[in-house]
Amino acid sequence: MKSSRSRRSGARALVESLERVGAETVFGYPGGNVIDIFDCARDAKFRFVLGRHEQGCVHMADGYARASGRPGVVLVTSGPGLTNSITGLGVANMDGVPLVLVCGQVPLDEIGTDAFQEADTTGLTRAVSKHNFLVKSADEIPETIAQAFYIATHGKPGVVVIDVPRDCQQAMTSAEHPARVSLRAYHPERVASAAQVCRLAKMLNAAKRPVIYAGGGVIAAEASEDVASLAHKAGIPVVTTMMGIGTMGSADPFCLGMAGLHGVPAANRALKEADFVLALGMRFNDRTTSALSRRRQRMAHVDCDASVIGRNVSVDLGIVADVKDLLSTVDSRVHPAERGEWLARCRAARSDATARRSGRLSAGDVIDAVNRVAKGGEIAVTDVGQHQIWAARRLENLRPRHFLASGGMGAMGYGIPAAIGAAIARPDRTVVAFVGDGGAQMTSEELVVAAELGLHVVFIVFENGTLGLVRQMQKEEQGGRIFATDLRSPDFVALAAAYGVKGVRVDDPAKIDAAIARAIRAKRPFLVDAKIDPEETV
Ligand SMILES: Cc1ncc(C[n+]2csc(CCOP(=O)(O)OP(=O)(O)O)c2C)c(N)n1
Ligand SMILES: [Mg+2]
């Protein structure tokens, strides 16, 4: 190692490297085996945000990453700090969110001795990360940080974990942050061949009823505008996965909304009736394939991750490439077309209504109120359950990076902390969190962070007194045997007040617009406890 730089501790080198890779916010929670790094973070260039539980810290970093496009960074201690982080890592990794977690570890010579707060970080995070590192000397730290950020952000984005033993944090090193990262075994950039581009253009030009099926990979690749311009040029309606929501605003006449198991009828019908589907930046997990079950349509699938092509759905043409690059190359070969009749047929099916019983506040009333008041300018973050599906189906005019949800993992507890992370990333936006009364009780402790930082987040709790989505399954699939789903909640307005967050309770459809408007005007965290009908189903 060269030593033009003065010697400093591994912890100091780590903080310097985080600055060098451009980390401007780090989320985390301290502890004994990471205390040297925290000591150096005191005067770092980045801002440190203290969550109240490591799961919350990771979801915050995830929300920050999804809303900004920059990798989320988390710093936690060994043992319980790491195990508390696992759900958050799984959520981010499954949804292709770039995130780097640094955790403390017991000193090298104590690893494997059942030392206090020792956990097998490598073993525990293998299945919830794209890659993990165990640092074995202070000299490795700058290079490891550089590689971790490279891996997290290149190819399909994902989670990278760096386990840093305490003695490596304390040891002195002269190792410098590398100017460039070169990894012998990881070269994810792939481009489509000329033949593939030609074939795709031919398939599109020949199609009578084509549909674009856009996933989260379109948003991650910043290719939403390219999708819209292809759709407009060639008369192709666009449906999305849940992760792809925001690719195209619902005011665009080519946008048919979310398809799949929980999708809207117009989107699913278009997929069923299509003669050609162009799937972009998606995995075809089980939620997204329902409309393809009796498929007669031809299909092309483009994704930057080779492992998803042909895995769950067999396709006529598979292309491993960056979606944005691919669209820019194929564009000139696609003929302009109207496809007026096909578009009219697809559009006629648009319109969606949630079931409601008159007089009571429904989930649809709440979401419609957000549509009216926020007019699509908000960043919407959801938890998991019925409220998530209602929001995904019904929110209007969202932009790319403006709909955040735990898609792959479906982890309750995501909404509140992820909304906080999004608000930190985008102080210029109103963030609206849609959470169930079940999920709200999993991570409500993070509300105090929103109060402490004065963040502009509107937390809407859909209080139906039940774990609604599971109760609905019990009603519809388990012969109506309701068990362990109806639950008592705290007084959410009082709970928010205890954390320093103002709130209001609403159960009258006539008052919901005013409540949402007041929350949005507040310019500080505000909770709306919406009492809705437990019998409403999705
Ligand atoms: C961590 C976690 N545990 C369990 C589940 C299973 N689950 C999916 S939806 C749901 C109910 C959610 O209830 P609530 O938060 O009240 O939302 P609602 O469906 O009522 O809108 C449950 C228990 C889950 N997704 N995540
Ligand atoms: Mg509920």
Side-chain angles (χ1 to χ4, degrees):
M1 290 283 165
K2 281 186 281 157
S3 60
S4 58
R5 183 182 266 285
S6 60
R7 281 174 78 74
R8 74 282 195 224
S9 69
R12 172 71 58 195
L14 191 147
V15 166
E16 279 173 16
S17 276
L18 290 178
E19 291 171 341
R20 286 286 294 275
V21 295
E24 54 101 16
T25 305
V26 174
F27 300 85
Y29 207 89
N33 278 323
V34 77
I35 199 162
D36 302 279
I37 300 174
F38 272 78
D39 192 37
C40 297
R42 282 179 56 158
D43 43 28
K45 292 195 188 107
F46 52 75
R47 167 187 200 184
F48 183 80
V49 176
L50 179 72
R52 296 300 186 269
H53 184 295
E54 288 86 354
Q55 181 187 354
C57 299
V58 183
H59 290 330
M60 283 179 203
D62 170 309
Y64 173 95
R66 292 190 208 220
S68 68
R70 296 191 295 272
V73 189
V74 187
L75 183 59
V76 297
T77 195
S78 64
L82 182 273
T83 54
N84 271 353
S85 307
I86 301 275
T87 298
L89 298 181
V91 166
N93 201 52
M94 230 173 154
D95 287 345
V97 176
L99 193 144
V100 174
L101 176 129
V102 175
C103 65
Q105 179 57 282
V106 301
L108 278 173
D109 63 358
E110 289 178 29
I111 290 180
T113 67
D114 268 357
F116 177 65
Q117 295 193 330
E118 181 188 359
D120 172 12
T121 303
T122 307
L124 283 164
T125 61
R126 187 166 279 146
V128 290
S129 67
K130 185 171 166 185
H131 193 66
N132 57 20
F133 292 94
L134 169 61
V135 166
K136 289 186 231 53
S137 90
D139 292 338
E140 291 175 17
I141 287 174
E143 178 89 42
T144 304
I145 295 284
Q147 291 185 356
F149 278 81
Y150 183 90
I151 294 168
T153 55
H154 287 71
K156 180 174 178 180
V159 168
V160 180
V161 174
I162 312 173
D163 201 18
V164 192
R166 177 106 198 260
D167 52 335
C168 302
Q169 300 169 35
Q170 294 171 331
M172 301 302 278
T173 177
S174 310
E176 288 185 54
H177 191 82
R180 259 190 324 279
V181 174
S182 67
L183 287 163
R184 221 181 326 138
Y186 187 58
H187 302 283
E189 282 77 17
R190 304 258 214 104
V191 286
S193 69
Q196 285 175 321
V197 172
C198 225
R199 183 130 179 257
L200 177 58
K202 253 197 198 141
M203 287 169 110
L204 264 174
N205 291 332
K208 294 204 166 48
R209 297 180 310 280
V211 170
I212 293 174
Y213 200 172
V218 170
I219 291 170
E222 310 282 351
S224 303
E225 280 178 22
D226 308 75
V227 167
S229 82
L230 175 66
H232 294 162
K233 174 180 174 180
I236 311 172
V238 177
V239 305
T240 74
T241 65
M242 183 178 280
M243 305 310 301
I245 292 174
T247 296
M248 204 179 230
S250 53
D252 190 310
F254 288 77
C255 174
L256 301 181
M258 179 175 77
L261 180 67
H262 297 300
V264 296
N268 283 333
R269 219 175 101 180
L271 278 180
K272 281 215 165 80
E273 293 179 4
D275 65 348
F276 176 65
V277 174
L278 172 56
L280 298 172
M282 60 178 289
R283 300 172 294 149
F284 282 119
N285 82 336
D286 58 302
R287 307 279 114 160
T288 62
T289 49
S290 45
L292 305 169
S293 47
R294 289 179 295 113
R295 67 177 272 254
R296 295 169 297 261
Q297 60 275 76
R298 301 187 79 198
M299 184 129 43
H301 185 187
V302 183
D303 198 279
C304 65
D305 179 1
S307 75
V308 304
I309 293 186
R311 182 177 61 181
N312 298 339
V313 167
S314 61
V315 292
D316 303 283
L317 174 64
I319 301 179
V320 185
D322 175 83
V323 173
K324 192 173 176 71
D325 288 348
L326 189 272
L327 289 178
S328 67
T329 14
V330 85
D331 186 71
S332 62
R333 294 170 189 269
V334 175
H335 306 320
E338 295 277 339
R339 297 194 166 94
E341 203 183 306
W342 169 229
L343 280 169
R345 205 158 110 195
C346 289
R347 277 178 208 151
R350 288 214 309 186
S351 99
D352 184 25
T354 49
R356 53 171 302 172
R357 297 197 311 200
S358 62
R360 293 196 67 165
L361 184 67
S362 76
D365 295 331
V366 180
I367 293 162
D368 289 348
V370 174
N371 285 332
R372 278 191 294 271
V373 178
K375 299 191 173 67
E378 79 282 12
I379 295 179
V381 183
T382 79
D383 210 88
V384 173
Q386 289 177 317
H387 62 281
Q388 174 189 32
I389 297 160
W390 285 314
R393 293 164 62 113
R394 208 169 173 108
L395 279 172
E396 287 172 1
N397 278 324
L398 295 168
R399 301 172 211 181
R401 302 197 179 283
H402 282 54
F403 182 85
L404 281 44
S406 170
M409 189 81 134
M412 288 168 69
Y414 176 79
I416 290 174
I420 290 170
I424 290 170
R426 293 299 305 266
D428 57 324
R429 288 274 182 278
T430 301
V431 176
V432 182
F434 300 77
V435 296
D437 43 3
Q441 293 185 62
M442 287 197 176
T443 46
S444 59
E445 78 286 349
E446 308 300 340
L447 286 171
V448 73
V449 178
E452 185 173 47
L453 303 179
L455 299 172
H456 190 197
V457 185
V458 176
F459 300 98
I460 304 178
V461 179
F462 289 74
E463 190 177 350
N464 54 5
T466 181
L467 302 173
L469 194 57
V470 180
R471 185 180 200 265
Q472 178 175 344
M473 289 170 73
Q474 291 174 335
K475 274 206 305 196
E476 293 171 1
E477 297 165 26
Q478 309 290 122
R481 292 182 299 280
I482 307 294
F483 177 65
T485 41
D486 290 345
L487 84 175
R488 179 173 165 168
S489 286
D491 175 337
F492 284 110
V493 176
L495 181 74
Y499 283 128
V501 173
K502 284 205 169 124
V504 65
R505 180 169 299 110
V506 193
D507 58 6
D508 178 354
K511 297 197 174 135
I512 188 67
D513 277 43
I516 301 284
R518 181 174 162 207
I520 287 179
R521 264 199 324 268
K523 296 278 173 202
R524 349 182 321 97
F526 198 99
L527 184 141
V528 176
D529 178 13
K531 289 257 197 195
I532 59 165
D533 183 353
E535 300 303 332
E536 219 181 325
T537 53
V538 292

